[in-house]
Amino acid sequence: MRVIHHPDIHEIALANLLYALGDPVRLAIAQRLACEGDLPCCELDVSVPKSTLSHHLRIMREAGLLYCRKEGTQHINSLRRAELESRFPGLLENILQAAQVEDAATPSA
Amino acid sequence: MRVIHHPDIHEIALANLLYALGDPVRLAIAQRLACEGDLPCCELDVSVPKSTLSHHLRIMREAGLLYCRKEGTQHINSLRRAELESRFPGLLENILQAAQVEDAATPSA
DNA sequence: TTGATTGTTCGACTTTTTCGAACTAACGAA
DNA sequence: TTCGTTAGTTCGAAAAAGTCGAACAATCAA
């Protein structure tokens, strides 16, 4: 497996960040990581095949939204919550809250 | 010209909203409308041809981000700022502020 | 009617997304 | 070591979305 690139906090572009969150699958992943803490890919239980999941996670990584570290055979993903807070104060937390507002309004599961 | 559809405030999905803002051209349009107030398409001065602009504005409209009304020969665009504030408190304002943070950090023009 | 301005729609081309199949990496057990 | 299992990535082809010039439609003013 190749070296995984993570952008420096100052290289993170707002439009990329919003793009990374502007997909139902990726937004759900962000919510889950926010609630549950760090998780390996296999515990994200999304509704897409693993090749597609891999693609979504790459977009999120390259946008600067999450950090990925290797632990044995798994890849642990974590939101870059504190870093993002320092670069765009309130932004991620506000989006996560909006996601909960939406979930509360649409009680699906 | 066909009737323009605007989604009801409760139909607005967060992921669509973030997607609509997750493009540099569209984010710039949102910023400009936030600063200058309502504007016709021709005064948005974006760097894309008008057919592409028309496409971007449709995505923003259908996401529920902006409202478009006809006035004579022009189409006046306005952010659905108050409505969005009631549905997702703080969200749009926070994103607009983050956009300014980014602009301040990267003084291009 | 003619001309100017504003914006949408069409069609072709390019880019991005999706997903199964094949592959690589790390680990445990025999 | 070798085999088997689990975890993820990469490849390649098909589908979907974005881009942009050209043609079109709507409004207004000579």
Side-chain angles (χ1 to χ4, degrees), chain A residues 83-103:
Chain A
E83 285 175 285
L84 286 168
E85 181 64 27
S86 76
R87 174 113 159 91
F88 298 117
L91 181 68
L92 180 56
E93 300 306 322
N94 209 313
I95 292 173
L96 291 170
Q97 196 182 319
Q100 288 196 320
V101 165
E102 185 171 54
D103 289 349

Side-chain angles (χ1 to χ4, degrees), chain B residues 58-99:
Chain B
R58 184 152 65 106
I59 287 181
M60 295 175 82
R61 262 195 331 262
E62 293 180 349
L65 188 59
L66 53 79
Y67 185 83
C68 177
R69 66 178 188 275
K70 246 179 104 168
E71 267 183 25
T73 170
Q74 353 189 79
H75 286 195
I76 310 294
N77 301 285
S78 57
L79 286 179
R80 296 175 65 173
R81 222 163 168 168
E83 283 176 286
L84 287 168
E85 180 63 27
S86 78
R87 174 112 158 92
F88 298 117
L91 181 68
L92 179 57
E93 301 305 322
N94 209 313
I95 292 174
L96 291 169
Q97 195 183 319

Side-chain angles (χ1 to χ4, degrees), chain A residues 15-97:
Chain A
N16 286 346
L17 214 51
L18 297 176
Y19 180 80
L21 289 166
D23 174 279
V25 170
R26 296 195 292 260
L27 185 57
I29 291 172
Q31 273 189 278
R32 200 153 148 68
L33 291 176
C35 286
E36 313 270 329
D38 303 4
L39 289 175
C41 308
C42 61
E43 285 181 31
L44 257 18
D45 49 67
V46 293
S47 55
V48 295
K50 58 184 183 172
S51 59
T52 304
L53 172 59
S54 193
H55 165 75
H56 282 309
L57 289 173
R58 183 152 66 106
I59 287 183
M60 295 174 82
R61 260 192 337 260
E62 293 180 350
L65 187 60
L66 54 80
Y67 185 82
C68 175
R69 67 178 189 276
K70 246 179 105 169
E71 266 184 25
T73 170
Q74 9 188 64
H75 287 193
I76 311 292
N77 301 285
S78 57
L79 285 178
R80 296 176 66 173
R81 223 161 168 170
E83 285 175 285
L84 286 168
E85 181 64 27
S86 76
R87 174 113 159 91
F88 298 117
L91 181 68
L92 180 56
E93 300 306 322
N94 209 313
I95 292 173
L96 291 170
Q97 196 182 319

